[in-house]
Every structure is written in structure tokens, then in C-alpha cells.
Amino acid sequence: FNGILGIGVFVSDCGDYCANDNTNQVYFKCAGASCNATTVAHDNQVQNPIAHFAGDPDNGNRADNNGVAVVIPSVPAGGAPSRTGYLVFGISTRSNNVPSTSSQNYPVDATFGEFKTQFGDNTYNSFIDTGSNALGIPPTRSLPDCSATDGNYAGWLCPSSTQSFSAQNSGTGGYPTGTVNFKVGNFISLFGSGNGVFSETAYASSKNIAGLFDWGWPFYFGKTLIQQFKNSS
């Protein structure tokens, strides 16, 4: 099977939210064919396997289990056949995984692992997403849905020419903002180019994640993006 790897920021699946809220719609308890949402203790939730790496005797018994860095080369306009990057385990646990002092910090909330994105006149809850091959952008008039051209591509965005945008990201707790510049191209044209990796693909987030800004793979290209795990407890 082909698969998509998504790496969350929590040690346990959905942390306090699923441990305390019995309407979480993530975990269910069933009696026969009748199922209802239920709370699940942290230790019994699906675990982030990286967070459970053991210590390495050759590294002072330190474990590379407090986070990851995703390192992907940049992708030119119009796409590329493929890209090869790295998934680096641990943050400041070895000499080769220490973050740069100039890194932009976006602390996330303890419930959903989200931060804030200001796009245009609106501010959205947002998240980084290794499991999505595009940006998820709340609806905007300058980015028409591809269904106007081909109903098979409903939900993807198809401007007549590539559009340039910027957004402001900020973490929880009043941390300084950082500007992210990005582009959105015509998905149908990009998809038909024969390339396999694109930095300009986007979908309308209202189609499946209402009101959220999804920073998918195009956000990762050309960066070292570090995710430090939260215990959420």
C-alpha cells in the first residue's frame, strides 16, 4: 500500500482533550452495534512511537525522543519529479540536531496542537501537517475552486495564474509573529505537468476542516522544521 506519514506534536494521541471530554469523537466504546464517544486515559491512547525511544548508551544514554526535525529541499515553481529529505530524531540530544539560534518559535496550544495564522483580515486556528500534500486555505475570492473547470477536482484551488500571498503566524501566549510567503497555482495544470512534488498546491479548507489553516507540505519545502513534543498533561 501507499501511505501518508503524519507526525503529531503530542506524546499521546489527543492528550487532555480525549482524556477529559467524553464527546471527543475520537475514541468510542461500543456495546454491540451501538457506539458512543468515551474518554481514554493518556497512557491508553495511541502513542507517538518516537516519544518512546529508549536512551542510547553511545550518546550518554540520552534518548532522541523529545521531538523531530523535518528537512526537505526547496521545490521550484511548477514542481519537480521528486524530493528526498530527512526525518531527524531528537532536539538538542546530539551535536547534529541542535536548532539554530535564529529559529522562529510557534508554541502550540495543549488541546489541539494549534497556533494562530492571520491571513487577510481574519485570524484562523492553524496547524503544521506532514500528512497533507497541499496547503489548506480558508475560502478567498481570488482562489476559485477547480470544480468550475472540472468537477473531478472539486475542493482543489485553480486560479487562472499563480497567485502570491503572505500570512502572519504566531504561537500561543503572545509570542512574536513570523511572516510566511507562499504561492497558489492552478492545481489541474500542476497535476497534469508530469511532476510529482509541488510547492503551489492548495485546497479550500472549508471542504473538510472548516475554519482552519492547514500548513501542509508546501510549508516544509526549503526549511528545517522542528516539532517538539508536548505531554499535554
Side-chain angles (χ1 to χ4, degrees):
F1 297 93
N2 292 325
I4 296 174
L5 175 64
I7 302 171
V9 297
F10 294 135
V11 172
S12 52
D13 187 16
C14 43
D16 288 345
Y17 175 56
C18 291
N20 301 324
D21 188 340
N22 63 5
T23 64
N24 59 69
Q25 300 298 303
V26 178
Y27 288 93
F28 296 84
K29 181 182 292 184
C30 299
S34 177
C35 297
N36 296 291
T38 187
T39 57
V40 177
H42 285 258
D43 290 346
N44 291 331
Q45 295 176 27
V46 175
Q47 299 291 295
N48 187 322
I50 300 169
H52 291 271
F53 283 177
D56 180 0
D58 294 328
N59 188 36
N61 210 36
R62 288 181 295 176
D64 303 317
N65 63 4
N66 61 341
V68 298
V70 181
V71 187
I72 304 291
S74 60
V75 174
S82 64
R83 278 294 182 266
T84 299
Y86 300 92
L87 176 62
V88 181
F89 301 123
I91 301 170
S92 298
T93 58
R94 299 174 186 263
S95 60
N96 63 351
N97 64 11
V98 178
S100 166
T101 55
S102 62
S103 298
Q104 177 67 53
N105 188 18
Y106 299 130
V108 299
D109 68 61
T111 303
F112 299 111
E114 296 171 355
F115 52 98
K116 299 294 184 182
T117 293
Q118 182 176 342
F119 180 54
D121 296 328
N122 298 306
T123 299
Y124 303 93
N125 290 336
S126 60
F127 59 101
I128 55 174
D129 183 11
T130 55
S132 180
N133 59 354
L135 302 175
I137 300 176
T140 171
R141 292 180 181 178
S142 62
L143 293 171
D145 194 289
C146 295
S147 60
T149 303
D150 188 331
N152 293 320
Y153 296 93
W156 296 101
L157 297 176
C158 283
S160 58
S161 60
T162 299
Q163 304 293 306
S164 298
F165 298 95
S166 66
Q168 294 285 327
N169 285 340
S170 60
T172 58
Y175 278 77
T177 61
T179 300
V180 179
N181 298 311
F182 62 95
K183 295 183 178 182
V184 178
N186 186 293
F187 181 82
I188 294 176
S189 298
L190 292 168
F191 190 69
S193 69
N195 284 321
V197 183
F198 307 98
S199 60
E200 312 107 311
T201 51
Y203 70 92
S205 67
S206 63
K207 297 296 183 182
N208 54 13
I209 308 176
L212 296 178
F213 205 112
D214 179 357
W215 293 102
W217 268 117
F219 180 61
Y220 287 76
F221 295 139
K223 299 182 180 72
T224 296
L225 205 152
I226 299 166
Q227 296 175 225
Q228 184 169 353
F229 298 148
K230 295 176 69 71
N231 286 322
S232 183
S233 60

Short mmCIF file of all heavy atoms in Angstrom, two decimals, residues 37-84:
data_model
loop_
_atom_site.label_atom_id
_atom_site.label_comp_id
_atom_site.label_asym_id
_atom_site.label_seq_id
_atom_site.Cartn_x
_atom_site.Cartn_y
_atom_site.Cartn_z
N ALA A 37 -18.99 8.06 22.05
CA ALA A 37 -17.67 8.63 22.37
C ALA A 37 -17.37 8.43 23.84
O ALA A 37 -18.26 8.44 24.69
CB ALA A 37 -17.65 10.11 22.01
N THR A 38 -16.08 8.25 24.15
CA THR A 38 -15.68 7.99 25.53
C THR A 38 -14.32 8.60 25.81
O THR A 38 -13.54 8.87 24.88
CB THR A 38 -15.63 6.48 25.81
OG1 THR A 38 -15.40 6.26 27.20
CG2 THR A 38 -14.52 5.81 25.01
N THR A 39 -14.04 8.84 27.07
CA THR A 39 -12.72 9.32 27.46
C THR A 39 -11.74 8.15 27.52
O THR A 39 -12.13 7.01 27.77
CB THR A 39 -12.76 10.01 28.84
OG1 THR A 39 -13.28 9.09 29.80
CG2 THR A 39 -13.64 11.25 28.79
N VAL A 40 -10.46 8.46 27.29
CA VAL A 40 -9.41 7.45 27.35
C VAL A 40 -8.20 8.10 28.03
O VAL A 40 -7.75 9.17 27.64
CB VAL A 40 -9.01 6.95 25.94
CG1 VAL A 40 -7.86 5.97 26.03
CG2 VAL A 40 -10.19 6.32 25.25
N ALA A 41 -7.67 7.43 29.05
CA ALA A 41 -6.51 7.95 29.76
C ALA A 41 -5.32 8.10 28.82
O ALA A 41 -5.20 7.39 27.81
CB ALA A 41 -6.14 7.01 30.91
N HIS A 42 -4.42 9.02 29.14
CA HIS A 42 -3.26 9.30 28.29
C HIS A 42 -2.52 8.02 27.91
O HIS A 42 -2.21 7.81 26.73
CB HIS A 42 -2.30 10.25 29.01
CG HIS A 42 -2.74 11.67 29.05
ND1 HIS A 42 -2.23 12.64 28.23
CD2 HIS A 42 -3.67 12.28 29.82
CE1 HIS A 42 -2.81 13.79 28.48
NE2 HIS A 42 -3.69 13.60 29.45
N ASP A 43 -2.22 7.20 28.87
CA ASP A 43 -1.40 6.01 28.62
C ASP A 43 -2.09 4.99 27.73
O ASP A 43 -1.42 4.14 27.12
CB ASP A 43 -1.00 5.34 29.93
CG ASP A 43 0.00 6.16 30.74
OD1 ASP A 43 0.57 7.11 30.16
OD2 ASP A 43 0.17 5.87 31.93
N ASN A 44 -3.42 5.07 27.64
CA ASN A 44 -4.17 4.11 26.83
C ASN A 44 -4.51 4.65 25.44
O ASN A 44 -5.09 3.93 24.62
CB ASN A 44 -5.45 3.70 27.55
CG ASN A 44 -5.17 2.87 28.79
OD1 ASN A 44 -4.17 2.16 28.84
ND2 ASN A 44 -6.04 2.97 29.77
N GLN A 45 -4.18 5.90 25.18
CA GLN A 45 -4.37 6.46 23.85
C GLN A 45 -3.26 5.95 22.91
O GLN A 45 -2.22 5.49 23.37
CB GLN A 45 -4.34 7.98 23.90
CG GLN A 45 -5.48 8.61 24.69
CD GLN A 45 -5.35 10.12 24.79
OE1 GLN A 45 -4.75 10.77 23.93
NE2 GLN A 45 -5.91 10.69 25.85
N VAL A 46 -3.49 6.04 21.62
CA VAL A 46 -2.44 5.71 20.66
C VAL A 46 -1.23 6.59 20.95
O VAL A 46 -1.35 7.80 21.12
CB VAL A 46 -2.93 5.93 19.22
CG1 VAL A 46 -1.79 5.72 18.23
CG2 VAL A 46 -4.10 5.01 18.91
N GLN A 47 -0.06 5.98 21.03
CA GLN A 47 1.15 6.69 21.43
C GLN A 47 2.01 7.08 20.24
O GLN A 47 2.06 6.39 19.22
CB GLN A 47 1.97 5.81 22.38
CG GLN A 47 1.24 5.45 23.67
CD GLN A 47 1.05 6.65 24.57
OE1 GLN A 47 2.02 7.22 25.07
NE2 GLN A 47 -0.20 7.04 24.78
N ASN A 48 2.69 8.20 20.39
CA ASN A 48 3.68 8.62 19.40
C ASN A 48 4.91 7.74 19.59
O ASN A 48 5.57 7.80 20.64
CB ASN A 48 4.04 10.09 19.64
CG ASN A 48 4.93 10.66 18.58
OD1 ASN A 48 5.82 9.99 18.08
ND2 ASN A 48 4.71 11.91 18.23
N PRO A 49 5.24 6.89 18.64
CA PRO A 49 6.33 5.93 18.85
C PRO A 49 7.68 6.59 19.09
O PRO A 49 8.51 6.07 19.85
CB PRO A 49 6.33 5.09 17.57
CG PRO A 49 5.66 5.93 16.55
CD PRO A 49 4.65 6.75 17.30
N ILE A 50 7.92 7.74 18.49
CA ILE A 50 9.21 8.41 18.65
C ILE A 50 9.42 8.83 20.10
O ILE A 50 10.52 8.76 20.64
CB ILE A 50 9.30 9.63 17.71
CG1 ILE A 50 9.17 9.19 16.24
CG2 ILE A 50 10.62 10.37 17.91
CD1 ILE A 50 8.99 10.32 15.26
N ALA A 51 8.33 9.24 20.76
CA ALA A 51 8.42 9.70 22.15
C ALA A 51 8.81 8.58 23.10
O ALA A 51 9.17 8.84 24.25
CB ALA A 51 7.10 10.31 22.57
N HIS A 52 8.76 7.34 22.62
CA HIS A 52 9.09 6.20 23.48
C HIS A 52 10.43 5.56 23.11
O HIS A 52 10.72 4.46 23.56
CB HIS A 52 7.96 5.17 23.41
CG HIS A 52 6.69 5.65 24.06
ND1 HIS A 52 6.41 5.46 25.40
CD2 HIS A 52 5.65 6.35 23.55
CE1 HIS A 52 5.25 6.00 25.68
NE2 HIS A 52 4.76 6.55 24.58
N PHE A 53 11.23 6.25 22.30
CA PHE A 53 12.57 5.74 22.02
C PHE A 53 13.36 5.63 23.33
O PHE A 53 13.28 6.50 24.20
CB PHE A 53 13.32 6.69 21.08
CG PHE A 53 12.91 6.59 19.64
CD1 PHE A 53 13.48 7.44 18.70
CD2 PHE A 53 11.97 5.68 19.21
CE1 PHE A 53 13.12 7.38 17.37
CE2 PHE A 53 11.58 5.62 17.88
CZ PHE A 53 12.16 6.46 16.96
N ALA A 54 14.15 4.58 23.44
CA ALA A 54 14.99 4.37 24.63
C ALA A 54 16.28 5.16 24.53
O ALA A 54 16.68 5.60 23.44
CB ALA A 54 15.29 2.88 24.80
N GLY A 55 16.96 5.31 25.66
CA GLY A 55 18.24 6.01 25.67
C GLY A 55 19.31 5.24 24.93
O GLY A 55 19.28 4.00 24.85
N ASP A 56 20.27 5.95 24.37
CA ASP A 56 21.36 5.36 23.60
C ASP A 56 22.63 5.35 24.44
O ASP A 56 23.15 6.42 24.80
CB ASP A 56 21.56 6.18 22.33
CG ASP A 56 22.68 5.64 21.44
OD1 ASP A 56 23.30 4.62 21.81
OD2 ASP A 56 22.93 6.25 20.38
N PRO A 57 23.16 4.19 24.78
CA PRO A 57 24.38 4.13 25.59
C PRO A 57 25.55 4.86 24.96
O PRO A 57 26.43 5.36 25.68
CB PRO A 57 24.67 2.63 25.71
CG PRO A 57 23.33 1.97 25.48
CD PRO A 57 22.62 2.85 24.49
N ASP A 58 25.58 4.95 23.63
CA ASP A 58 26.67 5.64 22.95
C ASP A 58 26.46 7.15 22.91
O ASP A 58 27.29 7.88 22.36
CB ASP A 58 26.81 5.11 21.51
CG ASP A 58 27.25 3.66 21.47
OD1 ASP A 58 28.00 3.25 22.39
OD2 ASP A 58 26.84 2.94 20.55
N ASN A 59 25.34 7.62 23.46
CA ASN A 59 25.04 9.04 23.47
C ASN A 59 24.76 9.50 24.90
O ASN A 59 23.84 10.28 25.16
CB ASN A 59 23.83 9.33 22.56
CG ASN A 59 23.57 10.82 22.37
OD1 ASN A 59 24.50 11.62 22.29
ND2 ASN A 59 22.30 11.19 22.31
N GLY A 60 25.53 8.98 25.85
CA GLY A 60 25.34 9.33 27.25
C GLY A 60 23.99 8.88 27.79
O GLY A 60 23.47 9.45 28.74
N ASN A 61 23.44 7.84 27.15
CA ASN A 61 22.13 7.28 27.50
C ASN A 61 20.99 8.27 27.28
O ASN A 61 19.90 8.08 27.81
CB ASN A 61 22.10 6.77 28.94
CG ASN A 61 21.14 5.59 29.08
OD1 ASN A 61 21.04 4.77 28.17
ND2 ASN A 61 20.42 5.52 30.18
N ARG A 62 21.25 9.33 26.51
CA ARG A 62 20.17 10.26 26.16
C ARG A 62 19.33 9.65 25.04
O ARG A 62 19.85 9.00 24.13
CB ARG A 62 20.74 11.60 25.71
CG ARG A 62 21.34 12.41 26.86
CD ARG A 62 21.87 13.74 26.36
NE ARG A 62 22.99 13.55 25.45
CZ ARG A 62 23.59 14.55 24.79
NH1 ARG A 62 23.17 15.78 24.95
NH2 ARG A 62 24.61 14.31 24.00
N ALA A 63 18.04 9.89 25.11
CA ALA A 63 17.12 9.36 24.10
C ALA A 63 16.74 10.47 23.11
O ALA A 63 16.49 11.61 23.51
CB ALA A 63 15.86 8.81 24.77
N ASP A 64 16.68 10.11 21.85
CA ASP A 64 16.29 11.07 20.80
C ASP A 64 14.76 11.06 20.68
O ASP A 64 14.21 10.79 19.60
CB ASP A 64 16.94 10.68 19.47
CG ASP A 64 18.46 10.61 19.56
OD1 ASP A 64 19.04 11.51 20.18
OD2 ASP A 64 19.03 9.64 19.03
N ASN A 65 14.07 11.38 21.77
CA ASN A 65 12.63 11.16 21.80
C ASN A 65 11.81 12.40 22.17
O ASN A 65 10.63 12.30 22.45
CB ASN A 65 12.29 10.04 22.78
CG ASN A 65 12.67 10.36 24.22
OD1 ASN A 65 13.12 11.47 24.52
ND2 ASN A 65 12.49 9.39 25.10
N ASN A 66 12.45 13.59 22.17
CA ASN A 66 11.72 14.79 22.58
C ASN A 66 11.18 15.61 21.42
O ASN A 66 10.60 16.67 21.59
CB ASN A 66 12.61 15.68 23.46
CG ASN A 66 13.85 16.16 22.72
OD1 ASN A 66 14.25 15.58 21.70
ND2 ASN A 66 14.49 17.19 23.24
N GLY A 67 11.36 15.12 20.20
CA GLY A 67 10.85 15.82 19.03
C GLY A 67 11.55 15.36 17.76
O GLY A 67 12.39 14.45 17.80
N VAL A 68 11.21 16.00 16.67
CA VAL A 68 11.80 15.65 15.38
C VAL A 68 12.05 16.93 14.57
O VAL A 68 11.47 17.98 14.84
CB VAL A 68 10.89 14.72 14.54
CG1 VAL A 68 10.66 13.40 15.24
CG2 VAL A 68 9.55 15.40 14.23
N ALA A 69 12.91 16.81 13.58
CA ALA A 69 13.08 17.85 12.57
C ALA A 69 12.80 17.23 11.21
O ALA A 69 13.26 16.13 10.90
CB ALA A 69 14.49 18.42 12.61
N VAL A 70 12.00 17.93 10.42
CA VAL A 70 11.70 17.51 9.06
C VAL A 70 12.45 18.45 8.12
O VAL A 70 12.27 19.66 8.16
CB VAL A 70 10.20 17.56 8.77
CG1 VAL A 70 9.90 17.08 7.35
CG2 VAL A 70 9.43 16.71 9.79
N VAL A 71 13.34 17.87 7.31
CA VAL A 71 14.21 18.67 6.45
C VAL A 71 13.95 18.27 5.00
O VAL A 71 14.26 17.15 4.58
CB VAL A 71 15.69 18.44 6.79
CG1 VAL A 71 16.59 19.40 6.02
CG2 VAL A 71 15.93 18.57 8.29
N ILE A 72 13.38 19.19 4.22
CA ILE A 72 13.03 18.92 2.83
C ILE A 72 13.59 20.04 1.95
O ILE A 72 13.39 21.22 2.26
CB ILE A 72 11.50 18.84 2.64
CG1 ILE A 72 10.89 17.79 3.56
CG2 ILE A 72 11.15 18.51 1.19
CD1 ILE A 72 11.25 16.37 3.22
N PRO A 73 14.27 19.72 0.85
CA PRO A 73 14.78 20.78 -0.05
C PRO A 73 13.65 21.58 -0.67
O PRO A 73 12.49 21.16 -0.70
CB PRO A 73 15.55 19.99 -1.12
CG PRO A 73 15.80 18.64 -0.53
CD PRO A 73 14.64 18.37 0.39
N SER A 74 14.00 22.75 -1.17
CA SER A 74 13.02 23.60 -1.84
C SER A 74 12.57 22.96 -3.15
O SER A 74 13.23 22.08 -3.70
CB SER A 74 13.61 24.99 -2.10
OG SER A 74 14.76 24.89 -2.93
N VAL A 75 11.42 23.41 -3.64
CA VAL A 75 10.84 22.91 -4.88
C VAL A 75 10.60 24.09 -5.81
O VAL A 75 9.99 25.09 -5.39
CB VAL A 75 9.51 22.17 -4.61
CG1 VAL A 75 8.83 21.76 -5.91
CG2 VAL A 75 9.76 20.95 -3.73
N PRO A 76 11.06 24.05 -7.07
CA PRO A 76 10.90 25.19 -7.97
C PRO A 76 9.46 25.39 -8.41
O PRO A 76 8.62 24.49 -8.27
CB PRO A 76 11.80 24.83 -9.16
CG PRO A 76 11.81 23.33 -9.17
CD PRO A 76 11.76 22.93 -7.72
N ALA A 77 9.18 26.55 -8.95
CA ALA A 77 7.85 26.82 -9.50
C ALA A 77 7.52 25.79 -10.56
O ALA A 77 8.36 25.41 -11.39
CB ALA A 77 7.82 28.22 -10.10
N GLY A 78 6.31 25.30 -10.53
CA GLY A 78 5.89 24.29 -11.50
C GLY A 78 6.14 22.87 -11.05
O GLY A 78 5.68 21.92 -11.67
N GLY A 79 6.93 22.71 -9.96
CA GLY A 79 7.10 21.38 -9.39
C GLY A 79 8.39 20.70 -9.80
O GLY A 79 9.21 21.22 -10.56
N ALA A 80 8.56 19.50 -9.26
CA ALA A 80 9.74 18.67 -9.53
C ALA A 80 9.29 17.21 -9.54
O ALA A 80 8.25 16.88 -8.97
CB ALA A 80 10.80 18.89 -8.47
N PRO A 81 10.05 16.33 -10.21
CA PRO A 81 9.66 14.91 -10.23
C PRO A 81 9.57 14.30 -8.84
O PRO A 81 8.68 13.51 -8.54
CB PRO A 81 10.75 14.25 -11.07
CG PRO A 81 11.30 15.35 -11.93
CD PRO A 81 11.23 16.58 -11.07
N SER A 82 10.51 14.66 -7.94
CA SER A 82 10.51 14.09 -6.59
C SER A 82 11.43 14.93 -5.72
O SER A 82 12.17 15.79 -6.21
CB SER A 82 10.97 12.64 -6.60
OG SER A 82 12.33 12.55 -7.03
N ARG A 83 11.38 14.69 -4.43
CA ARG A 83 12.31 15.30 -3.48
C ARG A 83 12.62 14.27 -2.39
O ARG A 83 11.77 13.50 -1.98
CB ARG A 83 11.72 16.56 -2.84
CG ARG A 83 11.86 17.81 -3.68
CD ARG A 83 13.31 18.19 -3.83
NE ARG A 83 13.51 19.42 -4.60
CZ ARG A 83 13.73 19.44 -5.90
NH1 ARG A 83 13.75 18.31 -6.60
NH2 ARG A 83 13.93 20.58 -6.52
N THR A 84 13.87 14.29 -1.94
CA THR A 84 14.29 13.42 -0.85
C THR A 84 14.74 14.29 0.32
O THR A 84 15.56 15.18 0.15
CB THR A 84 15.45 12.51 -1.28
OG1 THR A 84 15.02 11.67 -2.36
CG2 THR A 84 15.91 11.63 -0.12
#
